[in-house]
Amino acid sequence: METVKEVKKTQTMYDNVMLQFNRMAEYIDLNPNIREILSITNNEITVNFPVRMDDGRVKVFTGFRVQHNDSLGPYKGGLRYHPTVDIDDARALAIWMTWKTSLAGLPYGGAKGGIKIDPRNHSLGELERITRRFTYALGDNIGPEYDIPAPDVNTNEQTMAWIVDTYMSAKPAVVRSQNKHVVTGKPVGSGGLEGRDRATGFGVYLSIRFLIESRQETLKGKTFIVQGFGNVGYWASKFLEADGAKMIAVQDAHATIYNKSGINVEDLHEHCKPRKGSIEGFDADLEIDPQSFMGINCDILIPAALGNQITVDNAGLIQATIIAEGANGPTTEEAEVILLEKGITIIPDIFCNSGGVIGSYFEWLQNRSGEIWQLDEVMEKLEKKLFKVFKNLEKEVEENQIDWRTAAYKIAIKRIEKTYMERGVFP
Ligand code: NAD
C-alpha cells in the first residue's frame, strides 16, 4: 500500500483513478499485458458543434465521449453537463464505469462524456438545441449495441428523451424503433424504466443498509449528512429516512444547512423544485459555513455531488463511521489512507452507486425484448442483484482482511482479466 507521502501528487480525478488502478494491479498481480490494455482508453471523441442561441447568435460548444474498454460488452456511462467537464475528467469517469459494470456482473464496458456548460445559464430551448446538436455531432460514435449514454450531473430524463429522438430521427424509418435503447434513463413514456429515476439513490441506501445489517444493527436512529441533493442525494436520503435514519445536514453547490434535530427530506425536496434544484433559502437559521460540513458529527456521510471532495484537507475532520460514495470518485487516494487509518468504512462508488447502471441495464433489456416491467418488480430485481454483489464483496473483505474498495477492484479487474485470458488479443 502506498503511504500518504507517496500519493501526495493526487491532483485530478484521472490521477486518482490511475493511482487506484495501479495500486490494485500490483495487489492482484494483474497480467502485465492486460494491465497495459486497461491503462489507456480505447477511444476519445471530442466534438465542437454550433448552436443557435435564443438571441440569434451562434455559439460553438465542446462535447466529449470517452470509451475506456468494451471487453465485457457495449460501452456504458453517463453524460454530464458541467463547467468542469473536460477530456481528463471524462477519461477518469469512463474508467470507473468499466470497473463498476464489471463488478456488477453486467455485459457492459465503460464510457463517460458530457458538455462543458453550466446549464443554469441556458433556457430550456437552448438546452434542447445543444443536446440535439451534440447527439448529431456524436453520430454513430454512440449506438444501442455500441455505446449507451445515461443521465449524470445536470442531465435527466428530458435530456435522454431529446437524445433518443434525435438519434432515431437520423435513422431510416424502418429501423428507427430498433434504436430506442441508444440511451437509458429515458422518461417512462419514451421507453424508460419504472423506477430508473430512483435506482441510483435506492442502491446507495441498500448498500448502507446491507452493511449495517451485516453488523447486526439497523438504520433506525442513525444520523446522516449528504453532499449533493440532486437525483442521487435526494433518493438515497428519502429511502434512508423511510427506514428511520435522520438527515441532519445537506450541502449543495449553493448552500450548506445543518439541524441536529433533523431535516425533513420531502420538505427540502419541495423547496428545491422551483429553484433549479438548489437548497438555498430553505431556512436561513440553519445555514452554516460550508467548510464545517465534512466535520459534522454523524454516523453516515454520503458524498453525492462531484469527485475529489474528500481530500487530505478535510479527511481528518470526518466523524462519520461509514462513508457511502454516491458520487463517482469523491475520495482521493491520499484521503483514503487517512480514513482507513481512522477505522472508517468506505462503501466504494463502484458498488455504492451501481444501482443506477443496473437499472439502466434493466431498461436496455426491456427495450430489446419489448417488455414492460412494473415498479415493484424492478425494485425487487435491483435489490436482489445488489445483495448478490454485496455478498461477494463481503466475502472478499472478510477472507482477505482488506478494505471494501480493494475488494471491489479485485473482483472487477479479475473478471476482465479472465475474459482477456480466454479470448486472447486479436490478431
Ligand atoms: P444532479 O445534477 O442531480 O445533482 C448534483 C448535486 O450536486 C446538486 O445538488 C448540486 O448542487 C450538487 N453540487 C454540485 N457541485 C457541488 C459542490 N461543489 N459542492 C456541493 N454540492 C455540489 O446529479 P446526480 O445525478 O445526483 O449525480 C451526483 C453524483 O452521483 C455524480 O458524481 C454522478 O456521477 C454520480 N452518479 C449518478 C448517477 C445517476 O444515475 N444519476 C449514477 C451513478 C453515479
Side-chain angles (χ1 to χ4, degrees):
M1 292 284 267
E2 279 134 315
T3 64
V4 177
K5 210 164 148 244
E6 281 168 325
V7 293
K8 196 99 190 168
K9 59 184 176 294
T10 305
Q11 296 273 317
T12 64
M13 286 204 288
Y14 181 64
D15 290 332
N16 203 36
V17 77
M18 290 313 292
L19 280 168
Q20 286 177 349
F21 173 65
N22 286 323
R23 176 161 66 85
M24 301 304 168
E26 293 293 329
Y27 173 70
I28 66 169
D29 197 19
L30 179 64
N31 176 295
N33 292 330
I34 295 161
R35 182 166 174 175
E36 170 102 5
I37 296 170
L38 294 176
S39 294
I40 194 149
T41 55
N42 285 358
N43 306 305
E44 299 189 347
I45 301 125
T46 301
V47 288
N48 298 309
F49 53 95
V51 180
R52 193 172 295 283
M53 299 289 96
D54 290 343
D55 64 6
R57 277 180 317 132
V58 167
K59 234 184 128 186
V60 174
F61 292 86
T62 302
F64 307 95
R65 187 70 180 169
V66 174
Q67 297 160 340
H68 172 235
N69 188 273
D70 63 347
S71 56
L72 299 176
Y75 299 107
K76 187 88 189 81
L79 288 176
R80 179 177 288 197
Y81 289 1
H82 198 270
T84 60
V85 167
D86 61 16
I87 196 79
D88 209 48
D89 276 11
R91 220 176 254 152
L93 290 159
I95 297 172
W96 274 314
M97 281 309 298
T98 303
W99 314 147
K100 194 184 299 182
T101 51
S102 176
L103 174 68
L106 302 178
Y108 287 140
K112 204 83 177 197
I115 310 176
K116 195 178 187 63
I117 46 163
D118 185 347
R120 290 170 70 93
N121 298 337
H122 296 282
S123 67
L124 199 64
E126 286 182 353
L127 284 175
E128 175 173 353
R129 291 195 294 281
I130 292 167
T131 302
R132 288 186 182 277
R133 195 60 206 242
F134 177 44
T135 309
Y136 183 76
L138 284 174
D140 283 331
N141 287 301
I142 57 170
E145 302 292 330
Y146 177 57
D147 182 356
I148 308 127
D152 194 76
V153 174
N154 290 332
T155 56
N156 51 30
E157 58 176 37
Q158 176 62 78
T159 324
M160 298 304 118
W162 291 328
I163 296 177
V164 73
D165 185 65
T166 309
Y167 187 85
M168 283 168 67
S169 300
K171 299 284 167 207
V174 286
V175 294
R176 240 166 239 167
S177 66
Q178 294 166 18
N179 287 279
K180 215 181 237 178
H181 50 303
V182 64
V183 284
T184 54
K186 302 179 288 290
V188 172
S190 300
L193 178 84
E194 289 279 1
R196 174 60 186 87
D197 53 353
R198 68 208 67 184
T200 309
F202 183 59
V204 172
Y205 146 76
L206 285 177
S207 72
I208 299 168
R209 201 189 82 198
F210 294 157
L211 179 72
I212 286 187
E213 285 177 354
S214 75
R215 297 173 172 177
Q216 274 76 50
E217 292 172 32
T218 68
L219 277 166
K220 205 164 171 40
K222 293 268 189 296
T223 54
F224 67 94
I225 62 176
V226 57
Q227 185 194 50
F229 200 67
N231 175 280
V232 180
Y234 161 65
W235 281 107
S237 304
K238 194 172 163 70
F239 286 112
L240 285 166
E241 187 186 65
D243 252 12
K246 190 163 71 174
M247 179 168 84
I248 58 168
V250 183
Q251 175 168 72
D252 76 357
H254 313 281
T256 305
I257 54 174
Y258 170 55
N259 186 353
K260 208 175 162 189
S261 318
I263 299 163
N264 183 279
V265 174
E266 216 40 57
D267 286 353
L268 184 61
H269 183 56
E270 284 304 315
H271 169 83
C272 293
K273 276 186 190 165
R275 293 173 181 78
K276 292 190 172 177
S278 170
I279 65 167
E280 203 169 20
F282 178 66
D283 184 341
D285 293 341
L286 301 184
E287 289 203 16
I288 57 162
D289 173 12
Q291 300 301 325
S292 57
F293 175 78
M294 291 290 179
I296 290 172
N297 189 8
C298 62
D299 298 304
I300 306 153
L301 160 63
I302 309 171
L306 302 178
N308 282 1
Q309 296 299 303
I310 302 176
T311 66
V312 73
D313 297 327
N314 56 25
L317 306 173
I318 292 174
Q319 299 197 50
T321 54
I322 295 174
I323 296 177
E325 294 185 334
N328 286 306
T331 311
T332 65
E333 272 280 277
E334 51 194 339
E336 176 136 4
V337 177
I338 298 169
L339 299 171
L340 294 178
E341 267 171 14
K342 286 175 69 164
I344 296 172
T345 304
I346 305 168
I347 310 177
D349 46 7
I350 62 170
F351 170 59
C352 188
N353 67 38
S354 64
V357 72
I358 296 171
S360 279
Y361 171 58
F362 293 163
E363 179 174 329
W364 187 72
L365 284 182
Q366 209 183 244
N367 293 159
R368 279 171 123 207
S369 64
E371 285 179 47
I372 295 176
W373 303 352
Q374 302 304 311
L375 182 62
D376 51 353
E377 202 181 341
V378 171
M379 303 310 266
E380 202 184 307
K381 279 181 200 279
L382 197 55
E383 181 159 348
K384 225 168 146 183
K385 180 100 182 110
L386 275 166
F387 189 64
K388 195 168 163 232
V389 183
F390 175 80
K391 283 302 205 191
N392 276 343
L393 264 173
E394 189 184 38
K395 192 162 165 270
E396 276 295 336
V397 167
E398 284 173 2
E399 280 181 9
N400 300 296
Q401 292 295 304
I402 49 179
D403 64 273
W404 291 75
R405 192 181 319 276
T406 305
Y409 265 72
K410 183 176 170 189
I411 297 170
I413 298 174
K414 279 211 157 290
R415 182 174 169 221
I416 300 171
E417 181 183 40
K418 183 166 177 279
T419 304
Y420 272 112
M421 297 306 272
E422 284 162 0
R423 288 196 213 153
V425 173
F426 173 84

